[in-house]
Amino acid sequence: PDIFKHFFERQFPQQKSPRQGQVPEARSSGSGFLISEDGYLLTNHHVVKDADKIIVALNDRREMEAELIGSDPRSDLALLKIDGKDLPYLKMADSDKLKVGEWVLAIGSPFGFDYSVTAGIVSAIGRSISSAESTSYVPFIQTDVAINPGNSGGPLFNLDGQVVGINSQIYSPSGVSIGLSFAIPVSVANNVVKQLKNNGKVQRGWLGVGIQSVNKKLAEALDLPGPQGALVTAVVPDSPAENDGIKAGDVIVSFDAQTILYSDDLAYI
């Protein structure tokens, strides 16, 4: 109301526009969670990407600057560290036991509404999503949990209160939740955390092949029992694949005793 306008204008004056040549300070926010009592915490790579300073706000109103231990664009995970001891932390579940149809909960800060809880079910597991920085290195957990901007990096829980995934992205033409959200399984996160702690970066196995999916027509032409496996389209010279006799036109149907149903399965395994 007009009667209060002069008070708020005096308390919160309009910010002056930056002078020509100056770049205004940009801020963003996301979610994250502690994974150890000594202050290690997980969030998404895209939450802290290119950040000059990272401030962690705990739910007891404490705020502290965090150190970036390491960040991995391909898995979209980042490991941070704050000073502290005897901090409350979350326990990881065995995400390999997660079933489609199982109830899950997400906690995060959608649009800045801190500690918001949303619920849904696991819609699918092992989803492959390609992006500018990542190909198929993450077998995402798909859920219909409401995830919105600000939820990124927050935990996805099972009903035992254990973390089964890290909320990473949504599929939406409007930018807000339409019931298609994707979380990184803790099986991926555990491996990434271990490497970031030890080396500050993540190393992955390299085969040295280009691959494509096998459809029904290709399967018939190659005399396969069905559309499965990864068709090798190219082999990098002097790569492990070439040195082991793999040639363009081969179909990789298993790796490390694990069946390759879709070509995207190969990159992750």
Short mmCIF file of all heavy atoms in Angstrom, two decimals, residues 17 45 53 95 106 125 135 163 196-197 203 209-210 216 231 256:
data_model
loop_
_atom_site.label_atom_id
_atom_site.label_comp_id
_atom_site.label_asym_id
_atom_site.label_seq_id
_atom_site.Cartn_x
_atom_site.Cartn_y
_atom_site.Cartn_z
N SER A 17 22.11 1.02 -11.75
CA SER A 17 22.59 0.24 -12.88
C SER A 17 24.11 0.29 -12.92
O SER A 17 24.72 1.32 -12.61
CB SER A 17 22.02 0.79 -14.19
OG SER A 17 20.61 0.73 -14.17
N HIS A 45 27.54 -30.51 -10.56
CA HIS A 45 28.58 -29.72 -11.22
C HIS A 45 28.00 -28.42 -11.76
O HIS A 45 28.61 -27.34 -11.63
CB HIS A 45 29.19 -30.53 -12.37
CG HIS A 45 29.93 -29.71 -13.38
ND1 HIS A 45 31.20 -29.22 -13.15
CD2 HIS A 45 29.57 -29.28 -14.62
CE1 HIS A 45 31.60 -28.52 -14.22
NE2 HIS A 45 30.63 -28.54 -15.11
N LYS A 53 32.90 -17.98 -5.64
CA LYS A 53 32.74 -18.25 -4.21
C LYS A 53 31.50 -19.11 -4.01
O LYS A 53 30.47 -18.89 -4.65
CB LYS A 53 32.59 -16.95 -3.43
CG LYS A 53 32.44 -17.14 -1.91
CD LYS A 53 32.19 -15.81 -1.21
CE LYS A 53 33.45 -14.97 -1.15
NZ LYS A 53 33.26 -13.76 -0.29
N SER A 95 21.68 -48.25 -4.54
CA SER A 95 20.76 -47.86 -5.62
C SER A 95 20.52 -48.99 -6.61
O SER A 95 19.56 -48.96 -7.38
CB SER A 95 21.28 -46.62 -6.35
OG SER A 95 22.53 -46.88 -6.95
N ALA A 106 12.11 -36.23 -2.57
CA ALA A 106 13.20 -35.29 -2.87
C ALA A 106 13.11 -34.12 -1.91
O ALA A 106 12.02 -33.65 -1.57
CB ALA A 106 13.10 -34.79 -4.31
N ILE A 125 14.58 -46.88 -14.58
CA ILE A 125 15.98 -46.85 -14.16
C ILE A 125 16.86 -47.09 -15.38
O ILE A 125 16.42 -47.66 -16.38
CB ILE A 125 16.29 -47.89 -13.06
CG1 ILE A 125 15.86 -49.28 -13.50
CG2 ILE A 125 15.60 -47.51 -11.75
CD1 ILE A 125 16.20 -50.37 -12.48
N THR A 135 27.78 -37.69 -22.40
CA THR A 135 27.14 -38.59 -23.35
C THR A 135 26.30 -39.59 -22.56
O THR A 135 25.21 -39.30 -22.14
CB THR A 135 28.19 -39.28 -24.24
OG1 THR A 135 29.23 -39.83 -23.41
CG2 THR A 135 28.80 -38.29 -25.19
N VAL A 163 19.74 -42.12 0.89
CA VAL A 163 19.86 -41.45 -0.41
C VAL A 163 20.05 -42.50 -1.51
O VAL A 163 20.96 -43.32 -1.45
CB VAL A 163 21.04 -40.47 -0.42
CG1 VAL A 163 21.15 -39.79 -1.79
CG2 VAL A 163 20.89 -39.43 0.66
N LEU A 196 37.33 -38.04 -6.67
CA LEU A 196 37.53 -36.61 -6.43
C LEU A 196 38.28 -36.37 -5.14
O LEU A 196 39.11 -35.46 -5.04
CB LEU A 196 36.17 -35.90 -6.40
CG LEU A 196 35.43 -35.78 -7.73
CD1 LEU A 196 34.08 -35.09 -7.53
CD2 LEU A 196 36.25 -35.02 -8.77
N LYS A 197 38.00 -37.18 -4.12
CA LYS A 197 38.73 -37.06 -2.85
C LYS A 197 40.20 -37.35 -3.03
O LYS A 197 41.07 -36.65 -2.50
CB LYS A 197 38.14 -38.02 -1.81
CG LYS A 197 37.03 -37.46 -0.95
CD LYS A 197 36.69 -38.44 0.15
CE LYS A 197 35.57 -37.90 1.04
NZ LYS A 197 35.26 -38.86 2.13
N GLN A 203 38.76 -40.28 -13.56
CA GLN A 203 39.27 -40.98 -14.73
C GLN A 203 38.34 -42.13 -15.07
O GLN A 203 37.80 -42.79 -14.18
CB GLN A 203 40.68 -41.51 -14.48
CG GLN A 203 41.74 -40.41 -14.32
CD GLN A 203 43.12 -40.98 -14.09
OE1 GLN A 203 43.28 -41.92 -13.32
NE2 GLN A 203 44.11 -40.43 -14.76
N VAL A 209 36.26 -46.78 -29.39
CA VAL A 209 35.37 -47.13 -30.50
C VAL A 209 34.28 -46.09 -30.65
O VAL A 209 33.91 -45.41 -29.70
CB VAL A 209 34.71 -48.51 -30.29
CG1 VAL A 209 35.73 -49.63 -30.34
CG2 VAL A 209 33.91 -48.56 -28.99
N GLY A 210 33.76 -45.97 -31.88
CA GLY A 210 32.52 -45.26 -32.11
C GLY A 210 31.42 -46.29 -32.22
O GLY A 210 31.63 -47.36 -32.82
N LYS A 216 16.03 -53.18 -35.44
CA LYS A 216 15.53 -54.48 -35.91
C LYS A 216 16.12 -54.86 -37.27
O LYS A 216 16.53 -56.01 -37.50
CB LYS A 216 14.01 -54.43 -35.99
CG LYS A 216 13.38 -55.77 -36.36
CD LYS A 216 11.86 -55.66 -36.40
CE LYS A 216 11.24 -57.01 -36.80
NZ LYS A 216 9.76 -56.94 -36.86
N LEU A 231 26.79 -51.56 -32.03
CA LEU A 231 27.47 -51.75 -33.31
C LEU A 231 28.68 -50.82 -33.39
O LEU A 231 28.55 -49.61 -33.23
CB LEU A 231 26.51 -51.46 -34.46
CG LEU A 231 27.11 -51.50 -35.88
CD1 LEU A 231 27.61 -52.89 -36.23
CD2 LEU A 231 26.09 -51.01 -36.90
N ASP A 256 32.50 -57.29 -19.63
CA ASP A 256 32.72 -57.58 -18.20
C ASP A 256 31.56 -58.42 -17.65
O ASP A 256 31.06 -58.17 -16.55
CB ASP A 256 32.87 -56.28 -17.42
CG ASP A 256 33.44 -56.52 -16.02
OD1 ASP A 256 34.16 -57.51 -15.84
OD2 ASP A 256 33.16 -55.71 -15.12
#
